Amino acid sequence: MNAHQVYVIGAGIHPFGRHAGVTGADMAVVATRAALTDAGLGWDKVEVAVGGSNTGKPDALVARLGLTGVAFTGVRNGCATGGVALATAANALRAGQGEVAAVIGFDKHERGAFAADPASYGLDAWYGTTGLMVTTQYFAMRTRRYLHEHGVPDLTLAQIAARASRGGAANPNAWRRRALTTEEVLAAPMVSDPLTNLMFCQPDEGAVALILARGARAFDLCEAPVRLASVAVRTRGPGSFEVFSPWLAPHRSGSPTRAAAQDALRQAGITVADVQVAQVQDTDCGSELIHLAETGLCRDGEQTALLTDGATEATGRLPVNTDGGCLANGEPIGASGLRQVHEVVRQLQVRAAGTAVRGDPRIGFTHVYGAPGVSACTVLMRPDR
Amino acid sequence: MSRPLAPELFASLDPLALAGSRCTACATVQFPAARQCAHCAAEDPAPITLPAQGRIWTWTIQRFEPKAPYLAPADGFLPYAVGYVDLGEVLVESLLQCSDGEPAIGAEVHLVRATAPGGHFTYAFAR
Ligand SMILES: [Zn+2]
């Protein structure tokens, strides 16, 4: 342990789903108080705060948590918001801006797929009016190409949805709590071929908060701190296949996920083979399929064997999205990346709300991805002492 | 006579051709034509006319009516095919017209006019 290392010392969640009459800020307050209680601290001890939301104004939460004058940064990076918020808070602690930080993510979305404004992505109006600016279309086209290039059958996509649903069924904080069969998933109405509506997550509502502490303070406050060994954020390179692209370069390269994952592993001083529990962004089954390979957790095309052998089950040798992922929890996008970290921290502390992974896991990994090509990855480690 | 929804997308209307640009520094080809290269940020890429023939690189079918800013046809929404068409130096995202069934990766397609909102036309690739 050294004075610049950052640890997660508290974690709190407001269950994901639909909560009529509860605002995004209400959920953020519930999650933050739960995280503070977990850390045994009051809000007055928080020296740095970072909040992420795409539907609310995070710094306004001080009126509900206490007007302590805390430095509070708001971030908004689409689905990667939680990862960027965590990186921002960790960097502030490493820079000596304080010893204790709160990271809060929340959102409350309307039903149905997200709509986007072309101008905010640097695109002209024709792109939206003619029906090309739809995120589900992008996920489907990317999945179609991946299945074609690597010989992956549609059944693998259905196995991903079924496994996620088993994780959700065991997790009391999940929105979707029913275990699905692959037959059900394949027979569901097609949204954008080859993805059926049970292969997509849905926007919903929820909040997650983490309390971070630096150096010895973490061990003074918490019996089982989890070290944030690294957190890396990257944007896309020139040959990356990203959402809302009227054109692509003919050769693929430069995936932000590949870059962020490699950087997070390098900073943490581990290889991907050391990872014992993982979260990868699964806004749809194709995204999990692709992100498993882009993070290095498996080789291209190897996913079919991993899913068929049960390797990615919570009780398998490479547990993935053990809390049900986005597929079972839905996606309040500001909270989603922090839900991943919350789940991995709880697994490393052997107190997950749902199914516990096998053995005695010490090293976890998370990956979140947002439009138009932002990825954030973390490595989390249980310290020896 | 019908007019293009976004005239800047076309290098020519007869014969129909799409307008792209090629970076004079790194040769990256973009569509629509750009004022700045998305790869190396060099300014003033050269205007080029894109090929009117290509092959489907990937595809899907949009089966629900998208939210705004999408404008459905006056006679109501119908599912439509979209994809990326490999034109050699660039892959262009496009509506797809495959009257003989589903699109397929590798299928040869050519540039055509497609109905667009407000009585205008846009581009598509047809099999
Ligand atoms: Zn260039």
Side-chain angles (χ1 to χ4, degrees):
Chain A
M1 189 207 54
N2 73 48
H4 294 286
Q5 284 177 353
V6 172
Y7 300 82
V8 180
I9 63 162
I13 191 165
H14 182 288
F16 285 21
R18 298 240 169 254
H19 307 285
V22 182
T23 68
D26 292 339
M27 291 184 267
V29 169
V30 168
T32 306
R33 288 187 179 143
L36 287 166
T37 299
D38 196 31
L41 288 176
W43 175 249
D44 59 330
K45 296 295 188 293
V46 172
E47 297 158 292
V48 171
V50 181
S53 177
N54 291 253
T55 58
K57 185 160 166 49
D59 58 290
L61 290 170
V62 295
R64 307 277 301 276
L65 295 166
L67 299 176
T68 59
V70 65
F72 202 127
T73 302
V75 304
R76 179 175 173 167
N77 291 81
C79 301
T81 292
V84 178
L86 180 57
T88 305
N91 289 336
L93 291 188
R94 290 189 186 114
Q97 292 173 17
E99 289 192 318
V100 175
V103 191
I104 308 165
F106 65 96
D107 262 312
K108 186 178 177 85
H109 301 293
E110 293 174 4
R111 288 167 193 278
F114 295 119
D117 168 29
S120 67
Y121 285 85
L123 297 163
D124 291 320
W126 67 272
Y127 190 67
T129 54
T130 56
L132 297 180
M133 194 160 185
V134 187
T135 51
T136 45
Q137 249 175 45
Y138 157 73
F139 290 126
M141 290 191 288
R142 188 174 62 152
T143 301
R144 169 79 64 192
R145 184 70 198 181
Y146 192 88
L147 299 182
H148 172 81
E149 285 184 3
H150 300 292
V152 176
D154 288 8
L155 178 62
T156 304
L157 299 174
Q159 289 172 320
I160 288 170
R163 193 216 61 236
S165 73
R166 288 191 283 279
N171 173 13
N173 295 315
W175 182 25
R176 306 290 189 205
R177 304 286 318 280
R178 188 169 71 80
L180 303 169
T181 65
T182 53
E183 292 76 16
E184 261 182 286
V185 174
L186 289 169
M190 197 63 85
V191 170
S192 277
D193 316 42
L195 300 175
T196 69
N197 74 356
L198 290 177
M199 294 182 187
F200 278 104
C201 85
Q202 280 93 37
D204 67 342
E205 310 170 7
V208 176
L210 303 173
I211 307 299
L212 310 181
R214 176 165 55 85
R217 188 82 192 280
F219 292 85
D220 294 341
L221 292 168
C222 181
E223 281 180 17
V226 170
R227 185 158 74 90
L228 180 62
S230 62
V231 51
V233 177
R234 286 290 180 276
T235 54
R236 63 199 188 276
S240 194
F241 183 3
E242 304 298 341
V243 69
F244 305 151
S245 300
W247 66 281
L248 298 175
H251 303 292
R252 303 273 64 74
S253 68
S255 152
T257 292
R258 212 173 282 282
Q262 287 175 358
D263 196 17
L265 294 166
R266 182 188 54 75
Q267 284 183 47
I270 64 164
T271 72
V272 73
D274 298 321
V275 171
Q276 294 163 299
V277 55
Q279 288 265 348
V280 299
Q281 178 84 335
D282 61 333
T283 41
D284 62 284
C285 293
S287 287
E288 177 178 313
L289 182 82
I290 294 166
H291 292 146
L292 280 171
E294 287 192 343
T295 54
L297 288 165
C298 74
R299 294 186 304 277
D300 286 316
E302 193 188 0
Q303 297 95 332
T304 301
L306 291 178
L307 267 295
T308 302
D309 297 349
T312 64
E313 302 283 341
T315 52
R317 68 179 166 81
L318 179 60
V320 172
N321 297 346
T322 43
D323 61 350
C326 292
L327 287 164
N329 286 279
E331 201 189 17
I333 65 183
S336 196
L338 298 181
R339 172 190 53 73
Q340 299 180 323
V341 175
H342 176 279
E343 168 67 6
V344 169
V345 164
R346 294 287 177 101
Q347 291 285 0
L348 297 180
Q349 293 173 329
V350 199
R351 55 173 190 144
T355 308
V357 305
R358 282 197 314 173
D360 193 27
R362 290 193 57 249
I363 298 181
F365 175 88
T366 72
H367 157 262
V368 67
Y369 169 87
V374 187
S375 278
C377 294
T378 74
V379 173
L380 295 151
M381 288 189 188
R382 209 179 68 204
D384 287 327
R385 54 168 275 195
Chain B
M1 190 178 130
S2 171
R3 297 181 56 77
L5 177 69
E8 70 275 16
L9 300 181
F10 298 95
S12 141
L13 297 183
D14 189 17
L16 197 66
L18 294 176
S21 59
R22 182 186 288 115
C23 177
T24 52
C26 77
T28 292
V29 173
Q30 282 181 242
F31 171 79
R35 286 184 290 275
Q36 189 175 26
C37 174
H39 182 181
C40 75
E43 295 189 350
D44 299 322
I48 59 169
T49 298
L50 297 178
Q53 267 83 36
R55 288 179 185 276
I56 294 174
W57 186 77
T58 188
W59 62 276
T60 188
I61 295 177
Q62 179 64 38
R63 293 191 184 270
F64 66 90
E65 181 171 344
K67 290 180 178 174
Y70 174 69
L71 286 172
D75 47 354
F77 170 78
L78 283 175
Y80 56 88
V82 302
Y84 282 87
V85 177
D86 187 346
L87 298 178
E89 289 185 295
V90 65
L91 310 179
V92 166
E93 191 177 11
S94 178
L95 302 171
L96 298 175
Q97 297 176 357
C98 297
S99 52
D100 55 342
E102 284 191 337
I105 290 175
E108 287 186 28
V109 286
H110 60 277
L111 186 67
V112 297
R113 293 183 182 202
T115 306
H120 293 89
F121 70 84
T122 185
Y123 68 95
F125 280 84
R127 206 162 153 177

